[in-house]
Amino acid sequence: MTVVQVKRVVEVVQDFPDIGKRIKQARERDERSLSQICREAGISRAYWYQLEAENLRAPATEGIIRKIEAVLNVDLGVKFQE
């Protein structure tokens, strides 16, 4: 029997004040260059600076925030209520 799978995606957008400031502080505590950090996180330098300035055209994805947390070994406090 052939089946068709259907996926439902629920998008949740939530504000996290001062996350850019926390990202910048964590980066400044790290000894690696911004280029190296961006390479490890898979993020361009331009996008990284937009995150730090909290000047994004669209919301950052949770995946990007989790990559940053992993690379910098920090918890940025991004939690969503289930």
Side-chain angles (χ1 to χ4, degrees):
M1 172 162 83
T2 306
V3 298
V4 174
Q5 294 181 328
V6 178
K7 177 171 75 171
R8 180 178 182 195
V9 178
V10 178
E11 184 174 296
V12 177
V13 178
Q14 188 172 320
D15 292 336
F16 291 94
D18 297 325
I19 194 167
K21 180 180 176 181
R22 291 194 304 272
I23 291 170
K24 183 176 183 177
Q25 289 170 341
R27 173 183 59 83
E28 288 175 340
R29 285 191 302 267
D30 197 285
E31 294 180 3
R32 294 170 290 179
S33 69
L34 177 58
S35 294
Q36 184 177 356
I37 292 169
C38 289
R39 211 173 16 258
E40 291 179 27
I43 300 170
S44 72
R45 288 171 54 99
Y47 189 75
W48 189 281
Y49 282 129
Q50 290 173 4
L51 276 168
E52 286 186 356
E54 298 183 0
N55 186 22
L56 299 173
R57 293 185 182 141
T61 65
E62 184 179 11
I64 288 173
I65 298 302
R66 299 297 176 230
K67 285 181 186 179
I68 292 169
E69 288 177 326
V71 169
L72 295 177
N73 195 29
V74 296
D75 180 356
L76 294 171
V78 174
K79 308 281 188 272
F80 291 94
Q81 294 183 357
E82 300 294 324

Coordinates of all heavy atoms in Angstrom, one line a residue:
M1 N 0.8 -1.2 0.0 CA 0.0 0.0 0.0 C 0.9 1.2 0.0 O 1.8 1.3 0.8 CB -0.9 0.0 1.2 CG -1.7 1.2 1.4 SD -3.1 1.1 2.5 CE -2.3 1.3 4.1
T2 N 0.6 2.2 -0.8 CA 1.3 3.5 -0.9 C 0.6 4.5 0.0 O -0.6 4.5 0.1 CB 1.3 4.0 -2.3 OG1 1.8 3.0 -3.2 CG2 2.1 5.3 -2.4
V3 N 1.5 5.2 0.7 CA 0.9 6.2 1.7 C 1.5 7.6 1.4 O 2.6 7.7 0.8 CB 1.2 5.9 3.1 CG1 0.5 4.6 3.5 CG2 2.7 5.9 3.4
V4 N 0.8 8.6 1.8 CA 1.3 10.0 1.7 C 1.5 10.5 3.1 O 0.6 10.4 3.9 CB 0.3 10.9 0.9 CG1 0.7 12.3 0.9 CG2 0.1 10.4 -0.5
Q5 N 2.7 11.0 3.3 CA 2.9 11.6 4.6 C 2.6 13.1 4.6 O 2.9 13.7 3.6 CB 4.4 11.4 5.0 CG 4.8 9.9 5.3 CD 6.2 9.8 5.7 OE1 7.1 10.5 5.3 NE2 6.5 8.8 6.5
V6 N 2.1 13.6 5.7 CA 1.8 15.0 5.8 C 2.5 15.5 7.1 O 2.3 14.9 8.1 CB 0.3 15.2 5.9 CG1 -0.1 16.7 6.1 CG2 -0.4 14.7 4.7
K7 N 3.2 16.6 6.9 CA 3.9 17.2 8.1 C 3.3 18.5 8.4 O 3.0 19.3 7.6 CB 5.4 17.4 7.7 CG 6.2 18.0 8.8 CD 7.7 18.1 8.5 CE 8.0 19.1 7.5 NZ 9.5 19.2 7.3
R8 N 3.1 18.7 9.7 CA 2.6 20.0 10.2 C 3.7 20.7 10.9 O 4.4 20.2 11.8 CB 1.4 19.7 11.2 CG 0.9 21.0 11.8 CD -0.3 20.6 12.7 NE -0.9 21.8 13.3 CZ -1.7 21.8 14.3 NH1 -2.0 20.7 14.9 NH2 -2.2 22.9 14.7
V9 N 4.0 21.9 10.5 CA 5.0 22.7 11.1 C 4.4 23.9 11.9 O 3.6 24.6 11.3 CB 6.0 23.3 10.0 CG1 7.0 24.2 10.7 CG2 6.6 22.1 9.3
V10 N 4.7 24.0 13.1 CA 4.2 25.1 13.9 C 5.3 26.1 14.2 O 6.3 25.7 14.7 CB 3.6 24.6 15.3 CG1 3.1 25.7 16.1 CG2 2.5 23.6 15.0
E11 N 5.1 27.3 13.8 CA 6.1 28.4 14.0 C 5.8 29.2 15.2 O 4.6 29.7 15.3 CB 6.2 29.3 12.7 CG 7.3 30.3 12.8 CD 7.4 31.0 11.5 OE1 7.8 30.4 10.5 OE2 7.2 32.3 11.5
V12 N 6.7 29.4 16.1 CA 6.6 30.2 17.3 C 7.7 31.2 17.3 O 8.8 30.9 17.1 CB 6.7 29.3 18.6 CG1 6.6 30.2 19.8 CG2 5.6 28.3 18.6
V13 N 7.3 32.5 17.4 CA 8.2 33.6 17.4 C 8.1 34.3 18.8 O 7.0 34.6 19.2 CB 8.0 34.6 16.3 CG1 9.0 35.8 16.4 CG2 8.1 33.9 14.9
Q14 N 9.2 34.4 19.5 CA 9.2 35.0 20.8 C 10.3 36.0 20.9 O 11.4 35.8 20.4 CB 9.3 33.8 21.8 CG 9.1 34.2 23.2 CD 9.1 33.0 24.1 OE1 8.5 32.0 23.8 NE2 9.7 33.1 25.3
D15 N 10.1 37.0 21.7 CA 11.1 38.0 21.9 C 12.1 37.6 23.1 O 11.6 37.0 24.1 CB 10.5 39.4 22.4 CG 9.7 40.0 21.2 OD1 10.0 39.7 20.1 OD2 8.9 40.8 21.5
F16 N 13.4 37.8 22.9 CA 14.4 37.5 23.9 C 15.2 38.8 24.0 O 16.2 38.9 23.3 CB 15.2 36.3 23.5 CG 14.5 35.0 23.6 CD1 13.8 34.5 22.4 CD2 14.3 34.4 24.8 CE1 13.1 33.4 22.5 CE2 13.6 33.2 24.8 CZ 13.0 32.7 23.7
P17 N 14.8 39.7 24.8 CA 15.6 41.0 25.0 C 17.0 40.8 25.4 O 17.3 39.9 26.2 CB 14.8 41.7 26.1 CG 13.5 41.1 26.2 CD 13.7 39.7 25.7
D18 N 17.9 41.6 24.8 CA 19.3 41.6 25.1 C 20.1 40.3 24.7 O 21.2 40.1 25.2 CB 19.6 41.9 26.6 CG 19.1 43.3 27.0 OD1 19.2 44.2 26.2 OD2 18.6 43.4 28.1
I19 N 19.5 39.5 23.9 CA 20.2 38.3 23.5 C 21.5 38.7 22.7 O 22.5 38.0 22.8 CB 19.3 37.3 22.7 CG1 20.0 35.9 22.6 CG2 19.0 37.8 21.3 CD1 19.1 34.8 22.2
G20 N 21.4 39.7 21.9 CA 22.5 40.2 21.1 C 23.7 40.6 22.0 O 24.8 40.3 21.8
K21 N 23.3 41.3 23.1 CA 24.3 41.7 24.1 C 25.0 40.5 24.8 O 26.2 40.4 24.9 CB 23.6 42.6 25.2 CG 24.5 43.1 26.3 CD 23.7 43.9 27.2 CE 24.6 44.4 28.4 NZ 23.8 45.2 29.4
R22 N 24.2 39.4 25.1 CA 24.7 38.2 25.7 C 25.6 37.5 24.7 O 26.7 36.9 25.1 CB 23.6 37.3 26.2 CG 22.9 38.0 27.4 CD 22.0 37.0 28.1 NE 21.0 36.3 27.3 CZ 19.7 36.8 27.1 NH1 19.4 38.0 27.6 NH2 18.9 36.2 26.3
I23 N 25.2 37.4 23.4 CA 26.1 36.8 22.4 C 27.4 37.5 22.3 O 28.5 36.9 22.3 CB 25.4 36.8 21.0 CG1 24.2 35.8 21.1 CG2 26.3 36.4 19.9 CD1 23.3 35.9 19.9
K24 N 27.4 38.8 22.3 CA 28.6 39.6 22.2 C 29.5 39.4 23.4 O 30.7 39.2 23.3 CB 28.3 41.1 22.0 CG 29.5 42.0 21.8 CD 29.2 43.4 21.6 CE 30.4 44.2 21.3 NZ 30.1 45.6 21.0
Q25 N 28.9 39.4 24.6 CA 29.7 39.2 25.8 C 30.4 37.8 25.8 O 31.5 37.7 26.2 CB 28.8 39.3 27.0 CG 28.4 40.8 27.3 CD 27.3 40.9 28.4 OE1 26.7 39.9 28.7 NE2 27.2 42.1 28.9
A26 N 29.6 36.8 25.4 CA 30.2 35.4 25.3 C 31.3 35.4 24.3 O 32.3 34.7 24.5 CB 29.1 34.4 25.0
R27 N 31.1 36.0 23.1 CA 32.2 36.0 22.1 C 33.4 36.7 22.6 O 34.5 36.3 22.4 CB 31.7 36.7 20.8 CG 32.8 36.9 19.8 CD 32.3 37.7 18.6 NE 31.8 39.0 18.8 CZ 32.6 40.1 18.9 NH1 33.9 40.0 18.9 NH2 32.0 41.3 19.1
E28 N 33.3 37.8 23.3 CA 34.4 38.6 23.8 C 35.2 37.8 24.9 O 36.4 38.1 25.0 CB 34.0 40.0 24.3 CG 33.5 40.9 23.2 CD 33.0 42.2 23.6 OE1 32.6 42.3 24.8 OE2 33.0 43.2 22.8
R29 N 34.5 36.9 25.6 CA 35.2 36.1 26.6 C 36.0 35.0 25.9 O 36.9 34.4 26.5 CB 34.2 35.5 27.6 CG 33.7 36.5 28.6 CD 32.9 35.9 29.7 NE 31.8 35.1 29.2 CZ 30.6 35.5 29.1 NH1 30.3 36.7 29.5 NH2 29.6 34.7 28.7
D30 N 35.6 34.7 24.7 CA 36.3 33.5 24.0 C 37.6 34.0 23.3 O 37.7 35.2 22.9 CB 35.3 33.1 22.9 CG 35.7 31.7 22.3 OD1 36.7 31.6 21.6 OD2 35.0 30.7 22.7
E31 N 38.6 33.2 23.3 CA 39.9 33.5 22.8 C 40.0 33.4 21.3 O 40.9 34.0 20.7 CB 41.0 32.7 23.5 CG 41.1 33.0 25.0 CD 42.2 32.1 25.6 OE1 42.9 31.3 24.9 OE2 42.3 32.2 26.8
R32 N 39.1 32.7 20.7 CA 39.1 32.5 19.2 C 38.7 33.8 18.5 O 38.0 34.6 19.0 CB 38.2 31.4 18.8 CG 38.6 30.0 19.3 CD 37.6 29.0 19.1 NE 36.5 29.3 20.0 CZ 35.4 28.6 20.1 NH1 35.2 27.5 19.3 NH2 34.4 28.9 20.9
S33 N 39.2 33.9 17.3 CA 38.8 35.0 16.4 C 37.3 34.9 16.0 O 36.8 33.8 16.0 CB 39.7 35.1 15.2 OG 39.3 34.0 14.3
L34 N 36.7 36.0 15.7 CA 35.3 36.0 15.2 C 35.2 35.1 14.0 O 34.2 34.3 13.8 CB 34.8 37.4 14.9 CG 33.4 37.4 14.4 CD1 32.4 36.8 15.3 CD2 33.0 38.9 14.1
S35 N 36.2 35.2 13.1 CA 36.1 34.4 11.9 C 36.1 32.9 12.2 O 35.3 32.1 11.6 CB 37.4 34.6 11.0 OG 37.3 36.0 10.5
Q36 N 36.9 32.4 13.2 CA 36.9 31.0 13.6 C 35.5 30.7 14.2 O 35.0 29.6 13.9 CB 38.0 30.8 14.5 CG 38.1 29.3 14.9 CD 39.3 29.0 15.8 OE1 40.1 29.9 16.1 NE2 39.4 27.8 16.2
I37 N 35.0 31.5 15.1 CA 33.8 31.2 15.7 C 32.6 31.1 14.7 O 31.8 30.2 14.7 CB 33.4 32.3 16.8 CG1 34.4 32.3 17.9 CG2 32.0 32.2 17.3 CD1 34.4 33.4 18.9
C38 N 32.6 32.0 13.8 CA 31.6 32.0 12.7 C 31.7 30.8 11.9 O 30.7 30.1 11.5 CB 31.7 33.3 11.8 SG 31.1 34.8 12.7
R39 N 32.9 30.4 11.5 CA 33.1 29.2 10.7 C 32.6 28.0 11.5 O 31.9 27.1 10.9 CB 34.6 29.0 10.5 CG 35.0 28.4 9.2 CD 36.5 28.4 8.8 NE 37.4 28.7 9.9 CZ 38.1 29.8 10.0 NH1 37.8 30.8 9.2 NH2 38.9 30.0 11.0
E40 N 32.9 27.8 12.7 CA 32.4 26.7 13.5 C 30.9 26.7 13.7 O 30.3 25.6 13.8 CB 33.1 26.7 14.9 CG 34.6 26.4 14.8 CD 35.3 26.4 16.2 OE1 34.6 26.1 17.2 OE2 36.5 26.7 16.2
A41 N 30.3 27.9 13.8 CA 28.9 28.0 13.9 C 28.1 27.9 12.6 O 26.9 27.8 12.5 CB 28.5 29.3 14.6
G42 N 28.9 28.1 11.5 CA 28.2 28.1 10.2 C 27.4 29.3 9.9 O 26.4 29.3 9.2
I43 N 28.0 30.5 10.4 CA 27.3 31.8 10.3 C 28.3 32.8 9.7 O 29.4 32.8 10.1 CB 26.8 32.3 11.7 CG1 25.8 31.3 12.3 CG2 26.2 33.6 11.6 CD1 25.5 31.5 13.8
S44 N 27.8 33.6 8.8 CA 28.7 34.7 8.3 C 29.0 35.7 9.3 O 28.2 35.9 10.2 CB 28.0 35.3 7.0 OG 26.9 36.1 7.4
R45 N 30.1 36.4 9.1 CA 30.4 37.5 10.0 C 29.4 38.6 10.0 O 29.0 39.2 11.0 CB 31.8 38.1 9.7 CG 33.0 37.2 10.0 CD 34.3 37.7 9.4 NE 34.5 39.1 9.8 CZ 35.3 39.5 10.8 NH1 36.0 38.6 11.4 NH2 35.5 40.8 11.0
A46 N 28.8 38.9 8.8 CA 27.8 39.9 8.7 C 26.6 39.6 9.5 O 26.0 40.4 10.2 CB 27.5 40.2 7.2
Y47 N 26.1 38.3 9.4 CA 25.0 37.9 10.1 C 25.3 37.9 11.6 O 24.4 38.3 12.4 CB 24.5 36.5 9.7 CG 23.2 36.1 10.3 CD1 22.0 36.6 9.8 CD2 23.2 35.2 11.4 CE1 20.8 36.2 10.4 CE2 21.9 34.8 11.9 CZ 20.8 35.3 11.4 OH 19.6 35.0 12.0
W48 N 26.5 37.5 12.0 CA 26.8 37.5 13.4 C 26.7 39.0 14.0 O 26.2 39.2 15.1 CB 28.3 37.0 13.6 CG 28.6 36.8 15.1 CD1 29.0 37.8 16.0 CD2 28.6 35.6 15.8 NE1 29.2 37.2 17.2 CE2 29.0 35.9 17.1 CE3 28.3 34.3 15.4 CZ2 29.0 34.9 18.1 CZ3 28.4 33.3 16.4 CH2 28.8 33.6 17.7
Y49 N 27.3 39.9 13.3 CA 27.2 41.3 13.7 C 25.7 41.8 13.8 O 25.4 42.6 14.7 CB 28.0 42.2 12.8 CG 29.5 42.2 13.1 CD1 30.4 42.0 12.1 CD2 30.0 42.3 14.4 CE1 31.8 41.9 12.3 CE2 31.3 42.2 14.7 CZ 32.2 42.0 13.6 OH 33.6 42.0 13.9
Q50 N 24.9 41.3 12.8 CA 23.5 41.7 12.9 C 22.8 41.1 14.2 O 22.0 41.8 14.8 CB 22.7 41.2 11.7 CG 23.1 41.9 10.4 CD 22.5 41.3 9.2 OE1 21.7 40.3 9.2 NE2 22.8 41.9 8.0
L51 N 23.2 39.9 14.5 CA 22.7 39.3 15.7 C 23.1 40.1 17.0 O 22.2 40.4 17.8 CB 23.2 37.8 15.9 CG 22.4 36.7 15.2 CD1 23.3 35.5 15.2 CD2 21.1 36.5 15.8
E52 N 24.4 40.4 17.0 CA 24.8 41.2 18.2 C 24.2 42.5 18.3 O 23.9 43.0 19.4 CB 26.4 41.4 18.1 CG 27.1 40.1 18.4 CD 28.6 40.3 18.5 OE1 29.1 41.5 18.2 OE2 29.3 39.4 18.8
A53 N 23.9 43.2 17.1 CA 23.2 44.5 17.1 C 21.7 44.4 17.3 O 21.0 45.4 17.3 CB 23.6 45.2 15.8
E54 N 21.2 43.1 17.3 CA 19.8 42.9 17.3 C 19.1 43.6 16.2 O 18.0 44.2 16.3 CB 19.2 43.2 18.7 CG 19.8 42.3 19.8 CD 19.2 42.6 21.1 OE1 18.3 43.4 21.3 OE2 19.7 41.9 22.1
N55 N 19.7 43.5 15.0 CA 19.2 44.2 13.8 C 19.0 43.2 12.7 O 19.7 43.2 11.7 CB 20.2 45.3 13.4 CG 19.7 46.2 12.3 OD1 18.5 46.2 12.0 ND2 20.6 46.8 11.6
L56 N 18.1 42.3 12.9 CA 17.8 41.2 11.9 C 16.5 41.6 11.1 O 15.6 42.1 11.6 CB 17.6 39.9 12.6 CG 18.8 39.3 13.4 CD1 18.4 38.1 14.1 CD2 20.0 39.1 12.4
R57 N 16.5 41.2 9.8 CA 15.3 41.4 9.0 C 14.3 40.4 9.3 O 13.1 40.6 9.1 CB 15.7 41.2 7.5 CG 16.6 42.3 7.0 CD 16.9 42.3 5.6 NE 17.8 43.3 5.2 CZ 18.7 43.2 4.3 NH1 18.9 42.1 3.7 NH2 19.5 44.2 4.0
A58 N 14.7 39.2 9.7 CA 13.7 38.1 10.1 C 14.2 37.5 11.4 O 15.4 37.6 11.8 CB 13.7 37.1 9.0
P59 N 13.3 36.9 12.2 CA 13.8 36.3 13.4 C 14.9 35.2 13.2 O 14.9 34.5 12.2 CB 12.5 35.6 13.9 CG 11.4 36.3 13.3 CD 11.9 36.7 11.9
A60 N 15.8 35.2 14.1 CA 16.8 34.1 14.1 C 16.1 32.8 14.4 O 15.2 32.7 15.2 CB 17.9 34.4 15.2
T61 N 16.6 31.7 13.8 CA 16.1 30.4 14.1 C 16.6 29.9 15.4 O 17.7 30.2 15.8 CB 16.3 29.4 12.9 OG1 17.7 29.2 12.9 CG2 15.8 30.0 11.6
E62 N 15.9 29.0 16.0 CA 16.4 28.3 17.2 C 17.6 27.5 16.9 O 18.5 27.5 17.7 CB 15.3 27.4 17.8 CG 15.7 26.8 19.1 CD 14.6 25.9 19.6 OE1 13.6 25.6 18.9 OE2 14.8 25.5 20.8
G63 N 17.7 27.0 15.7 CA 18.9 26.2 15.3 C 20.1 27.0 15.3 O 21.2 26.6 15.8
I64 N 20.1 28.3 14.8 CA 21.2 29.2 14.8 C 21.6 29.5 16.3 O 22.8 29.5 16.6 CB 20.9 30.5 14.0 CG1 20.9 30.1 12.5 CG2 22.0 31.5 14.3 CD1 20.4 31.3 11.7
I65 N 20.7 29.8 17.1 CA 21.0 30.1 18.5 C 21.6 28.9 19.2 O 22.6 29.0 19.9 CB 19.7 30.5 19.3 CG1 19.1 31.8 18.7 CG2 20.0 30.7 20.8 CD1 20.0 33.0 18.6
R66 N 21.1 27.7 18.9 CA 21.7 26.5 19.5 C 23.1 26.2 19.0 O 24.0 25.8 19.8 CB 20.9 25.2 19.2 CG 19.4 25.3 19.8 CD 19.4 25.4 21.3 NE 18.0 25.6 21.7 CZ 17.7 26.5 22.6 NH1 18.5 27.3 23.1 NH2 16.4 26.6 22.9
K67 N 23.4 26.6 17.7 CA 24.8 26.4 17.2 C 25.7 27.4 18.0 O 26.8 27.1 18.3 CB 24.8 26.7 15.7 CG 24.3 25.6 14.9 CD 24.4 26.0 13.4 CE 23.7 25.0 12.5 NZ 23.8 25.4 11.1
I68 N 25.3 28.6 18.1 CA 26.0 29.6 18.9 C 26.3 29.2 20.3 O 27.4 29.3 20.8 CB 25.4 31.0 18.8 CG1 25.3 31.6 17.4 CG2 26.0 32.0 19.8 CD1 24.5 32.8 17.2
E69 N 25.3 28.7 21.0 CA 25.5 28.2 22.3 C 26.5 27.1 22.4 O 27.3 27.0 23.3 CB 24.1 27.7 22.9 CG 23.1 28.8 23.2 CD 21.8 28.2 23.7 OE1 21.4 27.2 23.2 OE2 21.2 28.9 24.5
A70 N 26.4 26.2 21.4 CA 27.4 25.0 21.4 C 28.8 25.5 21.1 O 29.7 25.1 21.8 CB 27.0 24.0 20.3
V71 N 29.0 26.4 20.2 CA 30.3 26.9 19.8 C 30.9 27.7 21.0 O 32.1 27.6 21.3 CB 30.3 27.7 18.5 CG1 31.6 28.4 18.3 CG2 30.0 26.8 17.3
L72 N 30.1 28.5 21.6 CA 30.6 29.4 22.7 C 30.5 28.7 24.1 O 30.9 29.3 25.1 CB 29.9 30.7 22.7 CG 30.2 31.6 21.5 CD1 29.3 32.9 21.6 CD2 31.6 31.9 21.3
N73 N 29.9 27.5 24.1 CA 29.7 26.8 25.4 C 29.0 27.7 26.4 O 29.4 27.9 27.5 CB 31.0 26.3 25.9 CG 30.8 25.2 27.0 OD1 29.8 24.5 27.0 ND2 31.7 25.2 27.9
V74 N 27.8 28.3 26.0 CA 27.0 29.1 26.9 C 25.5 28.7 26.7 O 25.1 28.1 25.8 CB 27.2 30.6 26.5 CG1 28.6 31.1 26.8 CG2 26.7 30.9 25.1
D75 N 24.8 29.1 27.7 CA 23.3 29.0 27.6 C 22.8 30.4 27.5 O 22.9 31.3 28.4 CB 22.8 28.4 28.9 CG 21.2 28.2 28.9 OD1 20.6 28.7 28.0 OD2 20.7 27.6 29.9
L76 N 22.2 30.8 26.4 CA 21.7 32.1 26.1 C 20.3 32.3 26.7 O 19.7 33.4 26.5 CB 21.7 32.4 24.6 CG 23.1 32.5 24.0 CD1 23.1 32.5 22.5 CD2 23.9 33.6 24.6
G77 N 19.7 31.3 27.3 CA 18.4 31.5 27.9 C 17.2 31.4 27.0 O 16.1 31.9 27.3
V78 N 17.4 30.9 25.8 CA 16.3 30.8 24.9 C 15.5 29.5 25.2 O 15.9 28.4 24.9 CB 16.8 30.8 23.4 CG1 15.7 30.5 22.4 CG2 17.6 32.1 23.1
K79 N 14.3 29.7 25.8 CA 13.4 28.6 26.1 C 12.0 29.0 25.6 O 11.6 30.1 25.7 CB 13.4 28.5 27.6 CG 14.7 28.4 28.3 CD 15.3 27.0 28.2 CE 16.5 26.8 29.1 NZ 17.8 27.2 28.5
F80 N 11.4 28.0 25.0 CA 10.0 28.1 24.6 C 9.1 27.3 25.4 O 9.4 26.2 25.8 CB 9.9 27.7 23.1 CG 10.6 28.5 22.1 CD1 11.9 28.2 21.7 CD2 10.0 29.6 21.6 CE1 12.5 29.0 20.8 CE2 10.6 30.4 20.7 CZ 11.9 30.1 20.3
Q81 N 8.0 27.9 25.8 CA 7.0 27.1 26.6 C 6.3 26.2 25.6 O 5.9 26.5 24.6 CB 6.0 28.1 27.2 CG 6.6 29.0 28.3 CD 5.6 29.8 28.9 OE1 4.4 29.8 28.6 NE2 6.0 30.6 29.9
E82 N 6.1 24.9 26.1 CA 5.5 23.9 25.3 C 4.0 24.0 25.4 O 3.4 24.4 26.4 CB 6.0 22.5 25.7 CG 7.4 22.3 25.5 CD 7.9 22.4 24.1 OE1 7.2 21.9 23.2 OE2 9.0 23.0 23.8

